[in-house]
Amino acid sequence: MPDVVLSEAFFQKSAGWEAVQHARILLGSGKVLSSNWTPPLLKGVVQSGDTSYRASLVIKSELEIDNLCTCRQAREFGTICPHVVAVGLHWLKPAATPVIAKPSSAPTPTPAAAAPSRPLQKKDPLRLRRDPAGPPLAVHVVLPPHFQEALQRGRLMLVFEGVVGKERAPLDSFVRRGAFHLSAEDEAVLSAAEEATGGDTPGMIQLPARDLAALLPALGGFPRITLGRSQPFRVEREAAMLPLRATLAADGTITLALQPQGHPPVILPLDASLWILLPGPPPALAPLAIAGPFREALQRPITLSRAQIPAFLSQDWPKLAATGKVEANFQLTDFELAPAAPRFHLEMAGGLAQLTATLQCAYGPRIMTIGVTRSDEAAWLPDPSNPRRYGTRDLAAEHAAFQRLRQAGFSGPDSQGRWQLSGQDRVLTYFARVHPRLEREWTVNLEERLDRSTQSTFERVTPELRVTSSGEQWFNLEVSYASASGGSIPAAEIQQLLRGGSRRLRNGKLAMIDSGAVEELQEILVDCAPEQAGGNGGETTRYRMGNAQAG
């Protein structure tokens, strides 16, 4: 069986969009306490209110997934809940925590001549003291006058100053002068600056340009930021959006590119985020609202293949369109996204002691082996004759077909998609009870040697219906059961066979009964409530029905 690779796309496909969105909220609010992925088991702990959920998922393949979370959704409905998805996302993107090396329990040998080392004492941080009753202090942040050039050089100097009354001085000069009152916004900026310096209240910080991203959330909307000491500057909280153009081509692909502008935008990659310099006035720095996969479009046009377009239209396009910054030669309503019905093919070989089976599903000319994952088997199926039409795989139907083989006693599939059923009793039970119904619903092919074995061992038994009109307001329905050799079988014996009694007919062969057809007949009789007209004890049972039941 192929290894399952965890990714956000995997959880989107298996759990659905709503579960993934809920999981992201749990992850972002720090509710995931632990996560571990040791295939096939994903497990962790999620805190929700006063309840801790032990969330675990057994992932044997993309179709065979068991949710073992202790939450009500998993216990009662068996669906993949947001808790296990949040554990998976936590494992994919663990929180960045410092790794602290613990000292070894064994002493480290030192040369005889070496002087004994003295332990290093960490100094107390020189922090500005806060006191709500103290004099108010306002924080000012001074960026380099040539801010863009400094970022491009890769190193940045920030100056932090405080204003008390009419005095303005570097913040660190206030550390030994008592305690001060800070507003909430000043406290947020100062705390972020102190964290960047390891605890000290800074007067000036020099840091790599990429590390500026850690300070920007606290600086968002802060009113006292300048380039030099005089030119106002802002860090925006709201994300900016560059105008894009989306073009649907005749072959169904979509190209994304920046709309032409007078001056190319200044885009700054800071750590893992993108920021853009806005000319103002006043000039500003704003986060750039564009998803990771489409960042390349800021530098050069990118083309989405047809396989990528359904996910783009359902997930990314609504967000892009909502900005009002996208021009396109299409609308979402131009596309037809419709589910496609799979056709199942079951190929069987072996003998009456052991069976080997391969289950495939077909969507038009496209055939896939269930249980075998391939990178090109996307959930969406482009219609080659229409660039705006897509079908989608019916993953629920594929999963149901997978489970039918499991319930019939088959084990597998292996890496090639092969299933196994071993033991003569289990094989005979399969052919007598399960195989006839699968033949009605799927395309089933038996290897030649297996086909000869089943014909010499089994005999099909099928219900036969005969309708005779009375010429009045009723008609007669006669029901009998015939074997392939032409013999008739009493209805009572059929019921015994269906209840699990002897499967062997009078000619020595084993009965192969389409239990599904018999069950459908019984449902019809229950619905129509006919009057029994005799023949119940023999080979033919007669019923009288009103003409209203003829349909």
Side-chain angles (χ1 to χ4, degrees):
M1 182 180 299
D3 292 337
V4 174
V5 178
L6 293 191
S7 64
E8 288 199 21
F10 167 80
F11 290 112
Q12 192 86 29
K13 178 179 175 182
S14 59
W17 179 84
E18 290 186 1
V20 172
Q21 292 300 103
H22 188 178
R24 286 174 177 160
I25 294 173
L26 291 173
L27 182 63
S29 57
K31 301 296 185 182
V32 184
L33 306 183
S34 65
S35 63
N36 179 265
W37 168 234
T38 305
L41 180 63
L42 172 68
K43 64 180 181 178
V45 178
V46 179
Q47 186 76 25
S48 182
D50 296 330
T51 305
S52 293
Y53 293 109
R54 296 186 302 278
S56 58
L57 209 60
V58 179
I59 309 173
K60 297 181 180 178
S61 71
E62 290 193 354
L63 291 172
E64 190 178 5
I65 303 172
D66 295 325
N67 186 6
L68 305 180
C69 183
T70 56
C71 71
R72 180 171 178 264
Q73 178 179 341
R75 287 185 286 104
E76 295 190 6
F77 306 106
T79 56
I80 299 178
C81 61
H83 304 114
V84 291
V85 178
V87 168
L89 297 181
H90 181 271
W91 186 86
L92 289 171
K93 298 179 180 179
T97 54
V99 178
I100 303 175
K102 296 183 179 180
S104 171
S105 58
T108 302
T110 57
S117 60
R118 299 177 60 186
L120 294 176
Q121 299 293 329
K122 187 182 186 307
K123 66 181 181 67
D124 293 331
L126 298 175
R127 296 181 73 242
L128 182 77
R129 286 181 293 152
R130 281 78 150 171
D131 185 349
L137 181 148
V139 175
H140 288 251
V141 181
V142 182
L143 302 177
H146 303 290
F147 178 68
Q148 178 181 340
E149 290 81 353
L151 285 175
Q152 292 171 343
R153 286 196 301 269
R155 195 153 192 88
L156 196 69
M157 183 178 73
L158 289 82
V159 174
F160 292 86
E161 296 181 332
V163 174
V164 178
K166 296 183 178 181
E167 179 185 4
R168 177 169 176 168
L171 266 179
D172 55 354
S173 67
F174 292 93
V175 169
R176 302 185 187 277
R177 292 169 56 180
F180 297 89
H181 169 67
L182 299 178
S183 67
E185 59 187 7
D186 287 320
E187 175 64 39
V189 169
L190 182 52
S191 296
E194 289 172 340
E195 183 176 350
T197 60
D200 294 339
T201 296
M204 181 268 292
I205 299 177
Q206 286 194 351
L207 75 168
R210 65 178 181 275
D211 292 345
L212 177 64
L215 291 173
L216 291 178
L219 294 176
F222 190 68
R224 293 180 294 279
I225 307 175
T226 57
L227 299 179
R229 297 193 66 179
S230 58
Q231 184 180 3
F233 187 81
R234 286 187 61 80
V235 176
E236 302 290 350
R237 288 195 183 100
E238 297 296 327
M241 180 67 194
L242 289 174
L244 293 175
R245 175 175 295 161
T247 305
L248 175 66
D251 62 359
T253 59
I254 291 179
T255 298
L256 288 176
L258 277 178
Q259 294 184 33
Q261 301 175 68
H263 298 283
V266 179
I267 299 170
L268 305 170
L270 301 177
D271 196 16
S273 57
L274 288 181
W275 294 73
I276 183 171
L277 276 175
L278 304 175
L285 185 66
L288 196 55
I290 188 164
F294 307 114
R295 289 183 178 185
E296 188 182 344
L298 303 177
Q299 307 296 330
R300 63 188 63 82
I302 62 172
T303 299
L304 305 177
S305 68
R306 292 204 65 184
Q308 297 173 298
I309 288 176
F312 167 72
L313 293 176
S314 62
Q315 299 171 23
D316 301 300
W317 177 250
K319 300 174 186 176
L320 291 175
T323 66
K325 295 277 190 174
V326 183
E327 289 184 359
N329 64 342
F330 61 85
Q331 296 181 358
L332 189 59
T333 54
D334 295 340
F335 293 86
E336 180 182 348
L337 307 175
R343 304 184 314 278
F344 293 102
H345 299 265
L346 184 63
E347 300 287 337
M348 309 192 75
L352 299 183
Q354 181 169 349
L355 290 179
T356 299
T358 302
L359 178 60
Q360 296 178 313
C361 62
Y363 296 92
R366 185 173 176 181
I367 298 177
M368 289 162 281
T369 300
I370 292 183
V372 178
T373 303
R374 288 174 38 188
S375 59
D376 61 340
E377 291 182 353
W380 291 95
L381 311 168
D383 185 341
S385 64
N386 187 333
R388 289 179 169 83
R389 182 182 299 136
Y390 291 82
T392 179
R393 291 173 60 181
D394 190 340
L395 297 180
E398 293 181 28
H399 181 71
F402 182 99
Q403 291 300 328
R404 290 187 72 173
L405 288 189
R406 277 292 173 85
Q407 293 166 3
F410 284 85
S411 62
D414 62 14
S415 60
Q416 302 300 314
R418 292 186 294 260
W419 299 75
Q420 301 292 331
L421 182 62
S422 301
Q424 187 175 47
D425 286 345
R426 299 173 74 187
V427 172
L428 294 179
T429 299
Y430 162 77
F431 274 111
R433 303 191 181 282
V434 181
H435 189 77
R437 174 171 286 190
L438 293 185
E439 281 191 312
R440 283 201 308 138
E441 300 176 12
W442 298 351
T443 299
V444 181
N445 296 318
L446 302 184
E447 179 261 339
E448 184 178 355
R449 183 171 65 89
L450 178 60
D451 190 31
R452 288 197 304 268
S453 297
T454 58
Q455 289 184 23
S456 62
T457 305
F458 296 96
E459 186 157 340
R460 293 183 181 275
V461 176
T462 56
E464 293 184 349
L465 309 180
R466 182 181 298 107
V467 176
T468 57
S469 174
S470 67
E472 301 178 13
Q473 299 300 314
W474 53 270
F475 63 92
N476 284 328
L477 173 65
E478 296 182 358
V479 180
S480 60
Y481 294 89
S483 64
S485 60
S488 297
I489 304 173
E493 187 175 340
I494 292 296
Q495 294 303 319
Q496 182 184 5
L497 293 172
L498 291 175
R499 286 194 300 268
S502 172
R503 299 193 302 269
R504 197 169 296 278
L505 300 175
R506 295 170 184 171
N507 60 8
K509 291 187 176 183
L510 295 172
M512 184 185 291
I513 304 175
D514 187 343
S515 58
V518 177
E519 290 170 2
E520 288 179 9
L521 173 60
Q522 296 297 329
E523 291 176 3
I524 291 174
L525 296 177
V526 170
D527 291 341
C528 296
E531 175 187 347
Q532 191 160 324
N536 186 40
E539 296 174 350
T540 301
T541 304
R542 297 179 180 85
Y543 302 92
R544 176 173 293 179
M545 299 184 180
N547 285 345
Q549 306 292 346

